[in-house]
Amino acid sequence: MKIEDVINLAKKRGAKTVAVACCQDKEVLLAVENARKEGIINAILVGDIDKTKQIAESLNISLENYKLIDISYLSEACLKAVQLVSEGSADIVMKGLVDTSIILKAVLNKEIGLRTGNVLSHTGVFHVEGYDKLFFITDAAMNIDPDLNTKKQIIQNAVKLARALDIDEPKVAVLCAKEKVNPKMPDTVDAKELEEMNKKGEIKDCIVGGPFALDNAISEEAAKHKGIDHPVAGKADILLVPDIEAGNIFYKSMTFFAKAQSAGLVLGAKAPIVLTSRADSDITKLNSIALGVLAASKKD
């Protein structure tokens, strides 16, 4: 599977409605328009509509295909977009030209937000030329230094997304600096505990292994060289990073060094949240919208 297959799969699932918060952004409008043309979404644009019209005109995008809600104040626009999802008028929330903290505050609003009691986490999906499948990186954006229980929920969020891409039993590698448990390296201890939790059925619908160094998580040759015999070794679908520092560096190295194609979502709320960086291209945003459609379509 390649990243373009995510869009093709979304087409098969049927269109979903996206509520775009603070829609006055060039790349966001391009992504939303391309997603609409692909037939995978309808969209409600919430934000400064005068600015949005100016941007749309410069891009030759007709706004007649969209429902428009004019709210120029950023926090109010975010609340409205979240409310549309909360009340069932939309299926996905998408971040536009607004700080992440503002839209997450709306998502977590006690009255109209999308709280579930679960941990919110970010999962990125990547395709690197020369690697034979998509892989998932989590969590590179939300949880700073997750404890064992948080890591468990991060895995569960990522597994649910992988299953939405028809990966029925994803293989999860818990990444560390080495592949042996060392009491002086707490993340290796957590990794082994997560593996045991999976064996006991406390983490379902996947195979969890750890600790793994990156090489023996994704390369069967590297795993064999080190004598690692595990169903996940060299075959990982999901790479659980130990903390946000490792995840952020890994994520951006894939984007800027490897030139990987990617998509990303925030998971754990009542609905998928397309929360991309302002630096992300309209193509990455389109891929993320398609990923959101798959996540919103999957019923476990």
Side-chain angles (χ1 to χ4, degrees), residues 47 55 70 99 133 181 221 235 260 281 295:
I55 297 169
D70 187 23
D99 288 342
K133 62 179 177 180
V181 176
E221 183 178 349
K235 301 176 181 178
S281 69

Side-chain angles (χ1 to χ4, degrees), residues 95 99-104 108 119-126 136-146 150 154 157-158 239-252 255 263-267 273-278 280 288:
K95 170 183 174 286
D99 288 342
T100 296
S101 60
I102 297 175
I103 192 164
L104 288 180
L108 296 173
V119 167
L120 296 185
S121 60
H122 183 275
T123 299
V125 181
F126 285 85
F136 301 70
I137 298 174
T138 192
D139 174 3
M142 295 289 292
N143 294 280
I144 296 172
D145 187 21
T150 302
I154 291 170
N157 285 344
L239 304 172
L240 175 73
V241 297
D243 56 36
I244 199 169
E245 307 287 359
N248 187 274
I249 293 167
F250 188 9
Y251 198 105
K252 289 179 179 176
T255 301
L265 288 179
V266 170
L267 306 163
I273 305 163
V274 179
L275 201 154
T276 52
S277 167
R278 295 184 191 183
D280 285 334
S288 299

Side-chain angles (χ1 to χ4, degrees), residues 1-4 6 122-128 133-138 158 161-162 165 167 237-238 251 254-255 260-265 267 284 287-288 290-292 294:
M1 181 180 281
K2 296 184 178 181
I3 204 76
E4 54 263 31
V6 174
H122 183 275
T123 299
V125 181
F126 285 85
H127 176 249
V128 177
K133 62 179 177 180
L134 296 178
F135 62 93
F136 301 70
I137 298 174
T138 192
L161 180 61
L165 274 69
I167 304 171
D237 299 295
I238 297 169
Y251 198 105
M254 289 295 99
T255 301
Q261 294 177 297
S262 66
L265 288 179
L267 306 163
T284 298
N287 294 337
S288 299
L291 198 61
L294 295 181

Side-chain angles (χ1 to χ4, degrees), residues 1-264:
M1 181 180 281
K2 296 184 178 181
I3 204 76
E4 54 263 31
D5 295 323
V6 174
I7 294 175
N8 293 331
L9 193 56
K11 288 180 182 178
K12 295 178 182 178
R13 298 279 172 84
K16 296 293 182 182
T17 299
V18 178
V20 184
C22 307
C23 54
Q24 58 274 11
D25 180 88
K26 178 182 176 182
E27 281 72 27
V28 167
L29 286 178
L30 277 172
V32 169
E33 175 71 357
N34 287 332
R36 184 193 65 79
K37 287 180 177 178
E38 292 282 3
I40 61 175
I41 65 159
N42 302 299
I44 304 170
L45 305 182
V46 185
D48 188 324
I49 298 304
D50 285 339
K51 288 183 180 179
T52 302
K53 286 179 177 177
Q54 292 173 14
I55 297 169
E57 186 176 348
S58 71
L59 298 172
N60 294 316
I61 293 174
S62 172
L63 295 182
E64 292 182 359
N65 297 302
Y66 303 98
K67 180 178 179 180
L68 308 176
I69 300 177
D70 187 23
I71 302 175
S72 58
Y73 195 58
L74 298 180
S75 61
E76 290 183 9
C78 289
L79 277 171
K80 182 61 179 177
V82 168
Q83 183 182 17
L84 290 168
V85 175
S86 184
E87 70 187 20
S89 299
D91 307 291
I92 301 162
V93 179
M94 182 173 184
K95 170 183 174 286
L97 191 63
V98 62
D99 288 342
T100 296
S101 60
I102 297 175
I103 192 164
L104 288 180
K105 186 177 180 180
V107 168
L108 296 173
N109 182 280
K110 291 182 178 179
E111 295 180 3
I112 62 169
L114 303 173
R115 288 171 176 256
T116 62
N118 295 331
V119 167
L120 296 185
S121 60
H122 183 275
T123 299
V125 181
F126 285 85
H127 176 249
V128 177
E129 197 64 38
Y131 196 63
D132 63 355
K133 62 179 177 180
L134 296 178
F135 62 93
F136 301 70
I137 298 174
T138 192
D139 174 3
M142 295 289 292
N143 294 280
I144 296 172
D145 187 21
D147 60 16
L148 181 65
N149 186 59
T150 302
K151 289 176 182 178
K152 174 187 175 184
Q153 292 187 61
I154 291 170
I155 290 173
Q156 290 171 329
N157 285 344
V159 166
K160 189 172 182 180
L161 180 61
R163 287 169 59 81
L165 274 69
D166 292 338
I167 304 171
D168 291 333
E169 192 178 49
K171 297 177 176 65
V172 183
V174 185
L175 296 186
C176 297
K178 60 185 299 182
E179 59 281 342
K180 293 182 179 179
V181 176
N182 183 339
K184 294 181 180 180
M185 303 173 72
D187 288 314
T188 66
V189 178
D190 282 357
K192 183 55 64 176
E193 182 61 28
L194 289 165
E195 182 178 296
E196 292 303 315
M197 292 167 81
N198 174 241
K199 289 178 180 177
K200 294 175 183 176
E202 296 173 28
I203 303 174
K204 301 180 184 298
D205 301 322
C206 62
I207 303 173
V208 178
F212 282 106
L214 176 61
D215 57 350
N216 43 64
I218 62 172
S219 167
E220 291 186 63
E221 183 178 349
K224 288 178 183 177
H225 183 73
K226 289 197 172 183
I228 300 172
D229 183 18
H230 191 282
V232 174
K235 301 176 181 178
D237 299 295
I238 297 169
L239 304 172
L240 175 73
V241 297
D243 56 36
I244 199 169
E245 307 287 359
N248 187 274
I249 293 167
F250 188 9
Y251 198 105
K252 289 179 179 176
S253 68
M254 289 295 99
T255 301
F256 291 98
F257 282 139
K259 306 298 181 185
Q261 294 177 297
S262 66

